[in-house]
C-alpha cells in the first residue's frame, strides 16, 4: 500500500512492531531501514528511553502479500544482531479514536510516590477518563509528570482530582487540551509570600519597631478574618513618621521566592506578558517591575510628605476586588482573553483574581485559598508553575544554556 493510497476503512491490516533493549544511536533508523525493504507505510510511532533502555513501537501497514513472514524474520534477525528484543503483533487499523473531553493532568510530587501515582491514575479511571499518554516534565527540584487524558470533561475531572490530591498530599493541575495551551498568555501574580518570601509591610514595620503587631493583623487578613482595607489602614498608620530613606532599605531586604527569576525569564522568552498586583506598596513593586522586566505592576502607594511616611496610602486601594479588576485591565491592555490568563496567589485577598483567571494557582496558600483555586502548588519553588503550562525542565535549562 503506497502513501498516495491511504487506507479507506478503519479495519485495514497493520503490524505493531515493538523493539526493547539497551539504547544506542541508530536503532530507530535501523528499524525503519529494515522495514523499508517491504514497502510498508508508517501509521504511528512511539519511542521512549528510560534509564538507558529504549522502547520503540512502530505501527505499519501490512506488507505485500506473501512477504509478512519474511519481514518478521528479518526484523527479529536485525534485533538479535543488536542484542535487542522484538515483538510483532498483527491487527487491524490504527489506535482507537480518543474520547471526547480531553485534558492535561499535571502531577507534582516532592517526592512523587508509587502510591500517590496509583491513586491519581485510579481516580482518573473512576471519573470515566482514559490515560492516553504519560511523560515526565521535570525530575528536580520536584518530580512533575503529565497525563494526557480523554473521555471525561475537564471540570468534573478537576474536581475529583483536587479531592484526591488533598488526601494524598500531591499537587495536581487539570487544564483542558487544545491550541489555547500554546497561545500567548498573561500571567499575573501576587507579590507578598508569592513572588517574594516576605510581607513588605512587615519589613517596613520592623524599622518602626511594631513588626509583631503588624504581622498579627496581616495573618488575620490573609486568612480572611478581617476586612483587607480596614486592616491595611490600621497597619500603615503604625508607620507614620518613618524617614522616607526606609524605602531603599526595604528594597534591599526583599527576597525573591526560589524559582521566581526562572519563572519570569522563561515566560518572557515564550512571549508571555507578566504582571504583579499587590496589597503592598508601589515603592517596592515599581522596583521589582524594573529589576525583573515585568510588563505590569500595580499596588497601593504609601504617602510621603516632607521626606517622611504619613501613615496613609494614596489612590485606589488594591484589595481583593481590586486585584481581580486589575487582572481584567491588564488582560485588556495585553490583548489576551481572560480565559488565557494565569493568576498566582496565596492569600484570601487573591481569591477573586484566582477565580477570574483562566487558571488560578494557589501557591503555598492558606487552606481557604487552596480549596477555592483551580490547582495548588505546595512546593517552595515558584518555577514549578511552568510545569502546569506543559513546559519541561529540560526546555528551561536548554534556553538558559543558549542565552549563556
Amino acid at each position: 500500500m503506497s502513501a498516495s493510497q491511504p487506507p479507506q476503512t478503519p479495519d485495514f491490516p497493520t503490524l505493531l512492531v515493538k523493539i526493547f533493549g539497551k539504547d544506542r544511536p541508530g536503532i530507530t533508523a535501523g528499524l525503519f531501514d529494515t522495514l523499508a525493504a517491504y514497502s510498508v507505510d508508517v501509521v504511528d510511532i512511539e519511542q521512549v528511553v528510560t534509564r538507558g533502555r529504549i522502547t520503540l513501537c512502530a505501527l505499519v501497514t501490512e506488507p505485500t502479500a506473501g512477504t509478512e513472514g519474511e519481514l518478521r524474520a528479518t526484523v527479529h534477525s536485525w534485533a538479535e544482531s543488536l542484542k535487542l528484543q522484538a515483538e510483532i503483533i498483527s491487527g487491524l487499523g490504527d489506535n482507537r479514536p480518543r474520547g471526547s473531553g480531553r485534558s492535561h493532568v499535571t502531577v507534582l510530587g516532592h517526592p512523587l510516590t508509587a502510591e500517590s501515582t496509583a491513586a491519581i491514575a485510579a481516580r482518573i479511571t473512576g471519573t470515566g477518563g482514559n490515560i492516553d499518554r504519560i511523560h515526565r516534565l521535570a525530575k528536580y527540584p520536584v518530580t512533575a509528570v503529565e497525563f494526557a487524558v480523554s473521555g471525561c470533561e475537564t471540570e468534573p475531572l478537576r474536581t475529583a482530582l483536587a479531592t484526591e490530591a488533598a488526601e494524598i498530599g500531591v499537587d495536581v493541575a487539570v487544564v483542558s487540551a487544545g491550541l489555547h495551551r500554546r497561545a500567548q498568555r498573561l500571567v499575573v501574580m501576587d507579590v507578598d509570600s508569592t513572588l517574594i518570601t516576605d510581607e513588605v509591610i512587615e519589613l517596613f514595620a520592623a524599622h518602626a519597631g511594631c513588626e509583631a503587631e503588624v504581622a498579627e493583623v496581616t495573618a488575620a487578613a490573609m486568612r480572611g478574618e478581617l476586612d483587607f482595607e480596614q486592616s491595611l489602614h490600621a497597619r500603615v498608620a503604625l508607620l507614620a513618621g518613618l524617614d522616607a530613606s526606609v524605602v531603599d532599605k526595604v528594597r534591599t531586604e526583599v527576597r525573591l521566592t526560589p524559582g521566581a527569576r526562572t519563572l519570569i525569564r522563561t515566560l518572557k522568552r515564550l512571549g508571555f506578558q507578566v504582571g504583579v498586583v499587590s496589597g503592598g506598596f508601589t515603592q517596592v513593586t515599581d522596583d521589582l517591575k524594573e529589576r525583573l522586566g515585568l510588563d505590569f505592576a500595580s499596588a497601593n502607594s504609601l504617602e510621603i510628605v516632607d521626606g517622611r511616611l504619613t501613615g496613609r496610602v494614596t489612590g485606589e486601594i488594591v484589595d481583593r476586588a481590586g486585584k481581580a479588576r486589575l487582572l481584567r485591565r491588564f488582560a485588556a491592555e495585553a490583548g489576551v482573553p481572560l480565559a488565557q490568563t494565569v493568576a498566582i496567589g496565596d492569600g484570601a485577598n487573591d481569591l477573586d483574581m484566582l477565580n477570574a483567571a483562566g487558571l488560578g494557582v494557589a501557591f503555598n496558600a492558606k487552606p481557604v485559598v487552596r480549596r477555592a483555586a483551580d490547582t495548588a502548588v505546595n512546593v517552595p519553588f515558584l518555577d514549578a508553575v511552568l510545569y502546569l503550562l506543559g513546559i519541561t525542565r529540560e526546555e528551561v535549562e536548554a534556553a538558559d544554556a543558549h542565552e549563556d
Side-chain angles (χ1 to χ4, degrees):
M1 184 179 298
S2 69
S4 61
Q5 296 177 323
Q8 300 299 310
T9 62
D11 58 352
F12 60 96
T14 52
L15 295 178
L16 175 59
V17 181
K18 303 171 69 176
I19 303 297
F20 316 87
K22 184 178 180 180
D23 188 31
R24 72 196 72 181
I27 290 178
T28 305
L31 173 62
F32 285 99
D33 187 52
T34 302
L35 294 172
Y38 299 91
S39 300
V40 297
D41 295 335
V42 177
V43 179
D44 195 6
I45 308 172
E46 291 280 352
Q47 179 174 308
V48 177
V49 177
T50 304
R51 211 182 65 180
R53 309 292 292 184
I54 187 172
T55 301
L56 170 60
C57 297
L59 186 65
V60 298
T61 54
E62 186 180 53
T64 305
T67 62
E68 181 179 331
E70 183 183 341
L71 179 151
R72 287 174 176 269
T74 302
V75 169
H76 280 287
S77 177
W78 167 81
E80 289 173 5
S81 71
L82 296 177
K83 297 182 178 180
L84 300 170
Q85 293 179 286
E87 181 180 5
I88 303 175
I89 305 171
S90 300
L92 296 176
D94 196 351
N95 299 315
R96 63 182 178 84
R98 296 179 63 190
S100 61
R102 300 179 185 179
S103 305
H104 295 285
V105 176
T106 306
V107 183
L108 308 180
H110 190 56
L112 180 63
T113 66
E115 181 181 9
S116 58
T117 305
I120 293 296
R123 184 60 69 100
I124 291 173
T125 302
T127 312
N130 183 73
I131 300 171
D132 301 314
R133 185 174 293 123
I134 306 173
H135 71 281
R136 186 176 68 184
L137 298 172
K139 60 182 178 181
Y140 74 90
V142 298
T143 301
V145 295
E146 181 178 278
F147 296 74
V149 177
S150 63
C152 60
E153 296 303 318
T154 298
E155 286 303 322
L157 180 61
R158 177 183 291 151
T159 300
L161 290 180
T163 301
E164 189 68 42
E167 292 176 358
I168 62 179
V170 298
D171 299 333
V172 178
V174 182
V175 297
S176 59
L179 288 176
H180 67 275
R181 200 177 187 217
R182 298 178 176 86
Q184 185 183 45
R185 290 189 181 187
L186 168 69
V187 177
V188 176
M189 65 190 96
D190 173 45
V191 175
D192 294 8
S193 299
T194 300
L195 177 64
I196 66 175
T197 61
D198 312 282
E199 291 288 333
V200 168
I201 196 166
E202 294 177 14
L203 296 179
F204 278 101
H207 291 280
C210 56
E211 184 178 12
E213 185 176 355
V214 166
E216 183 178 346
V217 178
T218 299
M222 293 303 99
R223 292 192 298 266
E225 298 170 2
L226 295 176
D227 174 80
F228 178 81
E229 184 171 351
Q230 290 178 338
S231 71
L232 175 67
H233 289 305
R235 288 174 291 172
V236 171
L238 297 171
L239 308 180
L242 275 177
D243 191 280
S245 62
V246 74
V247 170
D248 290 332
K249 295 177 183 177
V250 167
R251 286 175 174 175
T252 64
E253 293 167 351
V254 165
R255 299 166 298 171
L256 292 174
T257 298
R261 288 187 182 277
T262 300
L263 171 67
I264 295 169
R265 183 174 64 244
T266 303
L267 292 174
K268 297 292 289 181
R269 284 172 177 162
L270 292 170
F272 285 46
Q273 297 188 61
V274 184
V276 294
V277 291
S278 176
F281 310 110
T282 56
Q283 283 80 1
V284 171
T285 58
D286 288 349
D287 181 61
L288 289 170
K289 180 181 180 183
E290 182 177 351
R291 286 166 51 196
L292 300 173
L294 302 174
D295 299 285
F296 304 97
S298 189
N300 301 301
S301 292
L302 291 169
E303 184 181 62
I304 299 176
V305 176
D306 296 331
R308 292 191 176 277
L309 276 64
T310 66
R312 296 187 294 270
V313 292
T314 61
E316 181 182 14
I317 296 298
V318 179
D319 57 7
R320 175 170 169 169
K323 287 188 174 186
R325 185 168 57 250
L326 286 163
L327 171 70
R328 294 186 176 93
R329 183 188 303 170
F330 293 168
E333 292 178 14
V336 174
L338 201 60
Q340 292 299 111
T341 62
V342 179
I344 311 168
D346 73 297
N349 65 330
D350 297 315
L351 279 172
D352 289 3
M353 176 177 73
L354 297 181
N355 290 330
L359 176 66
V361 181
F363 180 73
N364 291 312
K366 312 302 183 289
V368 65
V369 182
R370 289 200 301 269
R371 289 192 295 268
D374 295 323
T375 187
V377 172
N378 294 303
V379 295
F381 312 106
L382 193 56
D383 54 341
V385 173
L386 292 170
Y387 311 140
L388 308 184
L389 306 178
I391 301 165
T392 70
R393 171 58 64 179
E394 287 183 348
E395 290 170 326
V396 173
E397 292 179 347
D400 285 342
H402 178 73
E403 184 169 289
D404 291 342

